[in-house]
Amino acid sequence: MKYETVIGLEVHAQLLTESKLFCACSTKFGSGPNTQVCPVCLGLPGVLPVLNGKSVEFAVKMALAVNCSVNAKSVFARKNYFYPDLPKGYQISQYTEPLAERGYLDIDTNGGKRIGITRIHMEEDAGKLLHGEGPEDSGSSFVDLNRAGVPLIEIVSEPDMRSADEAQAYLKSLRDIIVYLEICSGNMEEGSFRCDANVSIRPVGAEKLGTKAELKNMNSFKFVKEAIEYEVERQIDVVESGGKVVQETRLFDSAKGITASMRSKEEAHDYRYFPDPDLLPLVVSDDLIEGQRKTLPELPEAKRTRFIKDYSIPAYDAGVLTASRDLANYYEEVVKATNEPKVSSNWVMGELLRLLKEDARDVRDCAVTPASIAGLIEMIKNGGISGKMAKEVFEAMYKTGKTPQEIVKSTGMAQISNEDELSRIIDDVITRNPDNFARYKAGRVQLFGFFVGETMKATKGQANPQVINKLLKEKLDK
Amino acid sequence: MDLNSLTIHALSEKLSKKEVSSVEATKAYLERIGAVDDKIKAFLIVTADEALKQAEEADKRRAQNNNITPLTGVPISVKDIFCTKGIRTTCASKILAGFVPPYDSTVVARLKDAGAVILGKNNMDEFAMGSSTENSAFQKTANPWALDRVPGGSSGGSAASVAALECAASVGTDTGGSIRQPAALCGVVGFKPTYGRVSRFGMIAFASSLDQAGPFTRDTIDSAIMLKAMAGFDPRDSTSIDAPVPDYLSEIEKGVAGLKIGIPKEYFIEGMDAEVEASVREALKILEKEGAVLVPVSLPHTEYAVAVYYLVATAEASSNLARFDGVKYGLRVNESGNLLDMYKKTRDSGFGGEVKRRIMLGTYSLSAGYYDAYYKKASEVRTLIKNDFETAFKACDIIATPTTPTPAFRFGEKVADPLTMYLSDIFTISCNLAGIPGVSIPCGFTKENLPIGLQILGRPLDETTVLRAARAYERAAGCTLQAPAL
């Protein structure tokens, strides 16, 4: 039997606000344990939450970017469960009345597809447990509450994806958008962008959804794909061998590449959600929504399309160049100065990204300005340097932050294009190699390359190859 | 007259005339506590050193004429539900034994700012759950009028401390009557403001949508003074109301001429104590004589109030009390080193019977499959109860009722039967569900010399009219301070 895979994703994104969702503590990552805490996020008796307005703006921004309608009124609810990383014994989240609903996101696998977004809601993050890492007692667990109360948005998709590839494409696209909006770092390894997947299978053509498993613990795009692919195979095996898929939560084990049961439906928590009486309903005004709409940047998809159309560059180039807002802006500045979109793309996408990648640096911290790259491209175009030299010049630019003009000047790397000068050098080369000259004249035309090489050697590689070719042809063939 | 039997306004006058110092008044109260609290047991902790220091500061403030309020130098106490910076705060629970908050609740901070001297923390029902203060994990507080009877609850220690002249005033909290009921049973004035009028920050939560702090005082003028100091918007409490706080004192003597007083028929029920009913009806006659117009009103959903309350309040409590898990502070019982076991043993030995009962009730009413029938339905009926009051307040300015169906009962009388205990709040609960202000003022005694309370309820944020009517009665009835013989 043929099966169809059905996937829905729940994505948690940490918002890049300065302070936590319900108190003034810092959200900075990587500080010493329990150094960014206060009575509110520690859940001390009698304290009360006060909503961080910035987090609402960020969440609204995301809602608009994925075409959701923002609810005029939404309600914070308590999700009740006991765990040591949850200081109040409940997480403040949103449940029946979320911030935003009914959005979508277009992905471009298999000629394009629209993935529905059910809802976006706001909630607070929990703390972290450290097991057996204490200075004295390796058998104990320790609680770090720096992360407790950091603002999150949860983005829940419709079960619209039909393959691991589609799920990965959706997730990547969602990450691109959230990073473009500058409201989340999008870092999956650090956990600031996390994904759970609801996966089920059904016979092709069936309408009814199969029983789903919820997959957790996939902290890279690669793992998301691997986990879903494994899970689909597993579910097909279960069904094919006469079994039934059970509703459960499964953890992905990246070392083994498998998913394993964590808890079944029967063991699932009853979270006893109810409206949090400590917080008023969240009212989002039209002014706030329209204000956020105005600040929305051009989103990755729109930018890619525009690059392909306006700059006539390949889709691949457009994809790479729009991966971040900074890179896209950088590229556009180079193009503005050179009016050479493809050549500019080759330099930015090729040389620049290669060097940045080697150093694991961001384009934002790059010493080479767009104007410098444009200057380099200009020098190549007017014969100031050869393409080969240009690469060396570029590396020097990258290392020193100097302009190509400065580097060419200081290293004497300028290309010799002066015909009189080159003519004298070529005459000299011919005089020094009378035998080869004679053999060339006798028909050994392959020796043309020998004379090019000798001329280059004589100029320490700085001769303009086109001029050499032209002059040599004149002199050898006359 | 002894210093410790003065009202706030009388003491304040003496302080401003330099007839007496705050240190002298504070010492007088500390002596009184030393003399009678063995019998009353109104205090869980007496902070004599801190109080004397605060008194010295207050005297300095008065000497320098620096930011003086009527409370500057006045010794008061607070219920042990309010977090006090550097002072043990237990909520009368073993689970918080030894907990010392690093912050003051807003109420305490504002009273300190006004210059009040804090003598100590009052006993209460554990986590404010109860109507007799018998649910304290630490001690039973006696009713100063009859030592074999309860002071009411949950703010029983606060009410008893004011009645026993151990402080000039106290601060309690009222979730379903926990200020008004003990005030009635102890013969003092107890005021519950509009929900949101006084910040809940730093007040240990029982039922967040109902909890409200308010004062216990010897008369209504003191009530106005305390309320003025406590009330007002607090950016740290999202549910606190951003509305100006009127000068309650400037209106308080205006009388009730022309005021319409609604008398809800649902509050004069069969089975209520005859002496209580007689006293309250007598009080209404006095108000009528003062020029008020009595109008019959109806609050038709009153019969559901107790049920709604015990669904909503317990649901919120079950969640509010989840933080007491042995992980971060307070009690931890960890014998096996196993997390689940630690949770269970800590909460089992840390919470008393009534608290556990309410956590279970609340957990049940929020559970999957029961939420709609219990919590959600109760929330809907709560709206109907609120609407009842809105409708009634179209026909009247205030509503007057008895505070409690009976006077103070004996220790142990209702402990075995929680439902009977719950019914002692039958007249006070609706006010919390509707979020409106209410006061209980003394309106006489039974033949056995047990105090009786008159309850006056008002429109949201209209504490002014409630106080005005209460004051009119107090003045007309010639109520002077009645102190029990101890």
Side-chain angles (χ1 to χ4, degrees):
Chain A
M1 195 187 284
K2 283 255 183 202
Y3 294 95
E4 181 180 50
T5 305
V6 177
I7 304 162
L9 295 186
E10 291 170 14
V11 172
H12 287 88
Q14 264 181 14
L15 298 180
L16 285 172
T17 51
E18 295 280 322
S19 53
K20 293 185 180 179
L21 188 53
F22 297 114
C23 65
C25 288
S26 168
T27 55
K28 217 173 113 233
F29 183 80
S31 305
N34 300 310
T35 54
Q36 288 165 188
V37 292
C38 73
V40 174
C41 57
L42 286 174
L44 262 52
V47 297
L48 297 168
V50 177
L51 182 62
N52 174 346
K54 200 82 202 166
S55 63
V56 178
E57 292 178 13
F58 282 11
V60 166
K61 206 180 274 239
M62 186 62 189
L64 295 174
V66 292
N67 314 293
C68 283
S69 24
V70 177
N71 291 326
K73 190 193 107 181
S74 60
V75 173
F76 285 101
R78 293 186 184 176
K79 178 180 181 177
N80 295 285
Y81 64 96
F82 285 96
Y83 205 62
D85 66 5
L86 191 68
K88 298 187 294 298
Y90 57 84
Q91 178 195 30
I92 304 177
S93 179
Q94 294 187 309
Y95 189 53
T96 52
E97 296 174 75
L99 179 84
E101 293 171 275
R102 299 178 303 279
Y104 63 84
L105 181 59
D106 292 327
I107 56 171
D108 55 9
T109 49
N110 304 327
K113 181 167 181 178
R114 178 158 290 185
I115 308 297
I117 289 173
T118 319
R119 56 185 273 151
I120 296 180
H121 70 249
M122 305 180 66
E123 61 186 27
E124 57 178 347
D125 210 342
K128 257 184 193 168
L129 289 193
L130 309 164
H131 298 290
E133 290 170 36
E136 279 147 38
D137 190 353
S138 64
S140 295
S141 294
F142 297 83
V143 187
D144 177 6
L145 294 174
N146 283 352
R147 205 180 66 179
V150 167
L152 297 175
I153 49 173
E154 181 172 339
I155 306 153
V156 182
S157 85
E158 291 290 307
D160 284 350
M161 288 152 276
R162 295 289 172 268
S163 69
D165 283 333
E166 284 186 6
Q168 204 186 28
Y170 164 80
L171 192 61
K172 275 188 173 159
S173 182
L174 206 59
R175 212 255 321 236
D176 284 352
I177 291 172
I178 212 163
V179 171
Y180 253 60
L181 296 175
E182 295 174 345
I183 59 171
C184 172
S185 75
N187 189 323
M188 289 189 84
E189 286 76 24
E190 278 179 11
S192 53
F193 187 79
R194 315 195 274 266
C195 166
D196 301 335
N198 289 309
V199 178
S200 64
I201 56 163
R202 63 182 169 192
V204 169
E207 286 233 348
K208 199 170 160 274
L209 289 171
T211 304
K212 67 179 179 186
E214 187 184 5
L215 309 186
K216 285 182 178 289
N217 198 35
M218 306 168 289
N219 58 357
S220 77
F221 290 110
K222 188 171 147 255
F223 293 158
V224 169
K225 186 164 185 270
E226 281 178 21
I228 294 173
E229 279 169 350
Y230 173 86
E231 180 61 19
V232 169
E233 287 303 311
R234 188 192 70 83
Q235 290 187 12
I236 290 174
D237 282 351
V238 168
V239 173
E240 295 272 278
S241 54
K244 264 191 175 169
V245 174
V246 294
Q247 189 171 334
E248 62 184 350
T249 303
R250 300 179 68 86
L251 285 186
F252 179 64
D253 181 336
S254 59
K256 295 185 187 149
I258 62 165
T259 65
S261 183
M262 183 172 103
R263 59 170 177 253
S264 71
K265 191 187 174 190
E266 286 69 34
E267 298 165 290
H269 297 294
D270 176 359
Y271 290 119
R272 291 171 281 119
Y273 281 99
F274 75 107
D276 190 334
D278 286 335
L279 289 159
L280 302 176
L282 171 58
V283 174
V284 180
S285 67
D286 287 345
D287 280 357
L288 192 152
I289 295 172
E290 291 318 311
Q292 290 307 311
R293 203 189 296 280
K294 277 190 199 119
T295 69
L296 280 186
E298 184 184 27
L299 293 174
E301 185 54 37
K303 210 183 269 285
R304 236 181 333 263
T305 312
R306 179 169 64 82
F307 277 20
I308 295 169
K309 187 168 155 277
D310 289 4
Y311 299 139
S312 306
I313 55 173
Y316 175 79
D317 290 29
V320 173
L321 291 169
T322 54
S324 86
R325 239 165 107 181
D326 288 324
L327 184 64
N329 290 344
Y330 189 102
Y331 167 71
E332 289 207 274
E333 280 191 53
V334 178
V335 175
K336 212 184 283 168
T338 61
N339 213 13
E340 292 275 1
K342 180 58 188 156
V343 179
S344 300
S345 164
N346 290 347
W347 278 97
V348 173
M349 202 176 75
E351 290 306 298
L352 180 65
L353 282 192
R354 179 177 62 80
L355 293 173
L356 287 174
K357 203 177 167 192
E358 277 173 17
D359 293 353
R361 277 166 79 178
D362 192 89
V363 69
R364 219 178 311 188
D365 320 314
C366 171
V368 185
T369 64
S372 286
I373 293 201
L376 184 69
I377 292 170
E378 195 56 35
M379 279 173 100
I380 303 165
K381 205 167 134 191
N382 65 27
I385 48 171
S386 69
K388 193 169 161 242
M389 281 156 64
K391 287 191 182 176
E392 284 171 48
V393 173
F394 185 77
E395 287 202 21
M397 286 160 61
Y398 180 82
K399 277 186 196 120
T400 62
K402 287 183 180 158
T403 64
Q405 290 81 358
E406 286 168 336
I407 287 162
V408 165
K409 204 171 164 194
S410 65
T411 55
M413 266 202 280
Q415 183 163 262
I416 303 166
S417 302
N418 183 305
E419 292 197 14
D420 292 345
E421 195 184 340
L422 283 179
S423 185
R424 271 196 304 278
I425 293 169
I426 289 172
D427 288 345
D428 193 41
V429 167
I430 292 173
T431 316
R432 281 194 279 112
N433 294 284
D435 297 353
N436 279 341
F437 182 65
R439 282 150 77 188
Y440 183 86
K441 282 305 221 186
R444 292 284 305 270
V445 289
Q446 301 94 316
L447 281 167
F448 189 83
F450 166 80
F451 286 102
V452 172
E454 286 302 301
T455 311
M456 275 295 181
K457 227 185 267 169
T459 60
K460 298 193 186 90
Q462 283 171 255
N464 182 329
Q466 274 129 36
V467 180
I468 296 179
N469 277 343
K470 182 180 149 237
L471 292 177
L472 269 176
K473 271 197 188 117
E474 283 171 17
K475 287 181 196 290
L476 295 176
D477 298 342
K478 84 179 158 199
Chain B
M1 201 178 203
D2 293 334
L3 273 181
N4 59 300
S5 60
L6 297 174
T7 57
I8 292 174
H9 52 96
L11 176 60
S12 200
E13 203 183 319
K14 283 185 184 295
L15 287 166
S16 65
K17 285 183 182 159
K18 310 277 185 284
E19 289 171 22
V20 60
S21 72
S22 174
V23 170
E24 286 170 309
T26 302
K27 281 183 177 159
Y29 275 116
L30 290 171
E31 274 167 32
R32 174 71 175 177
I33 293 169
V36 303
D37 207 52
D38 276 353
K39 282 188 245 175
I40 307 296
K41 293 201 175 354
F43 284 83
L44 287 174
I45 183 170
V46 177
T47 50
D49 292 348
E50 288 85 352
L52 286 168
K53 251 180 247 157
Q54 289 163 5
E56 278 170 28
E57 279 300 309
D59 283 334
K60 228 181 273 170
R61 216 163 127 173
R62 284 199 178 259
Q64 294 165 350
N65 206 7
N66 170 22
N67 190 19
I68 299 166
T69 81
L71 281 173
T72 307
V74 173
I76 63 167
S77 60
V78 299
K79 187 179 185 179
D80 203 27
I81 201 168
F82 294 99
C83 285
T84 40
K85 189 175 179 177
I87 307 287
R88 194 180 69 211
T89 301
T90 66
C91 234
S93 180
K94 277 194 276 182
I95 210 155
L96 273 174
F99 174 68
V100 178
Y103 47 92
D104 271 329
S105 52
T106 298
V107 164
V108 167
R110 287 189 177 173
L111 289 167
K112 277 185 179 171
D113 285 349
V117 171
I118 304 200
L119 297 164
K121 314 279 302 277
N122 297 121
N123 194 28
M124 54 186 283
D125 283 302
E126 183 180 7
F127 286 106
M129 297 177 184
S131 309
S132 67
T133 312
E134 289 167 287
N135 295 332
S136 166
F138 304 119
Q139 62 196 35
K140 285 186 180 28
T141 299
N143 190 315
W145 294 94
L147 296 179
D148 59 342
R149 290 178 189 258
V150 302
S154 65
S155 312
S158 293
S161 68
V162 175
L165 310 181
E166 294 175 284
C167 54
S170 183
V171 185
T173 59
D174 191 318
T175 304
S178 282
I179 291 173
R180 291 158 289 151
Q181 185 256 19
L185 269 45
C186 290
V188 297
V189 177
F191 200 106
K192 182 206 97 77
T194 307
Y195 180 80
R197 186 56 115 173
V198 175
S199 168
R200 291 185 297 115
F201 183 86
M203 191 174 108
I204 299 176
F206 159 20
S208 313
S209 73
L210 301 160
D211 296 343
Q212 184 62 198
F216 287 92
T217 53
R218 304 211 207 293
D219 70 7
T220 52
I221 294 174
D222 283 4
S223 201
I225 291 170
M226 287 288 283
L227 194 56
K228 177 79 184 168
M230 295 163 63
F233 176 68
D234 178 6
R236 290 187 297 180
D237 176 0
S238 309
T239 62
S240 88
I241 297 172
D242 195 357
V245 179
D247 180 2
Y248 302 115
L249 280 179
S250 69
E251 302 259 325
I252 202 163
E253 301 289 0
K254 282 193 174 166
V256 288
L259 211 65
K260 284 188 205 147
I261 303 180
I263 312 299
K265 60 172 191 274
E266 293 83 359
Y267 280 64
F268 292 85
I269 52 168
E270 265 195 47
M272 72 185 289
D273 186 276
E275 288 184 279
V276 169
E277 182 171 2
S279 276
V280 170
R281 293 211 185 269
E282 183 57 32
L284 295 176
K285 269 189 208 148
I286 291 175
L287 282 165
E288 206 172 13
K289 232 181 275 168
E290 288 294 299
V293 183
L294 304 188
V295 290
V297 294
S298 175
L299 300 165
H301 296 94
T302 300
E303 61 172 310
Y304 304 110
V306 172
V308 167
Y309 175 82
Y310 278 95
L311 288 167
V312 172
T314 57
E316 292 180 10
S318 71
S319 174
N320 283 333
L321 271 57
R323 68 187 60 199
F324 306 109
D325 58 3
V327 173
K328 306 163 294 283
Y329 47 81
L331 181 75
R332 175 188 290 182
V333 183
N334 184 20
E335 288 154 359
S336 63
N338 165 296
L339 178 66
L340 187 61
D341 205 51
M342 189 277 281
Y343 279 151
K344 285 180 174 171
K345 291 217 164 84
T346 298
R347 289 168 67 83
D348 184 37
S349 50
F351 290 135
E354 181 62 23
V355 173
K356 284 183 209 165
R357 180 180 298 122
R358 295 200 193 188
I359 289 173
M360 285 190 279
L361 278 171
T363 303
Y364 186 79
S365 83
L366 288 176
S367 296
Y370 298 99
Y371 181 89
D372 286 351
Y374 294 117
Y375 181 81
K376 194 165 166 232
K377 181 64 76 184
S379 301
E380 287 161 3
V381 179
R382 181 178 181 176
T383 305
L384 297 178
I385 289 170
K386 203 174 168 189
N387 294 346
D388 279 358
F389 280 99
E390 269 172 34
T391 308
F393 281 125
K394 282 178 189 148
C396 62
D397 301 301
I398 53 168
I399 288 171
T401 77
T403 308
T404 59
T406 66
F409 41 92
R410 289 192 172 78
F411 284 116
E413 199 178 315
K414 298 186 179 180
V415 170
D417 184 357
L419 269 185
T420 314
M421 183 75 92
Y422 294 172
L423 289 176
S424 50
D425 291 334
I426 188 163
F427 297 148
T428 46
I429 275 175
S430 296
C431 162
N432 298 80
L433 292 170
I436 59 173
V439 69
S440 177
I441 52 171
C443 70
F445 288 84
T446 65
K447 280 182 222 114
E448 287 182 277
N449 207 33
L450 298 173
I452 297 168
L454 168 71
Q455 177 175 242
I456 298 173
L457 306 173
R459 297 188 181 105
L461 291 178
D462 193 14
E463 283 84 5
T464 306
T465 308
V466 174
L467 281 167
R468 211 176 101 194
R471 174 63 185 155
Y473 168 76
E474 186 179 76
R475 206 175 45 197
C479 285
T480 47
L481 177 72
Q482 307 252 14
L486 285 169

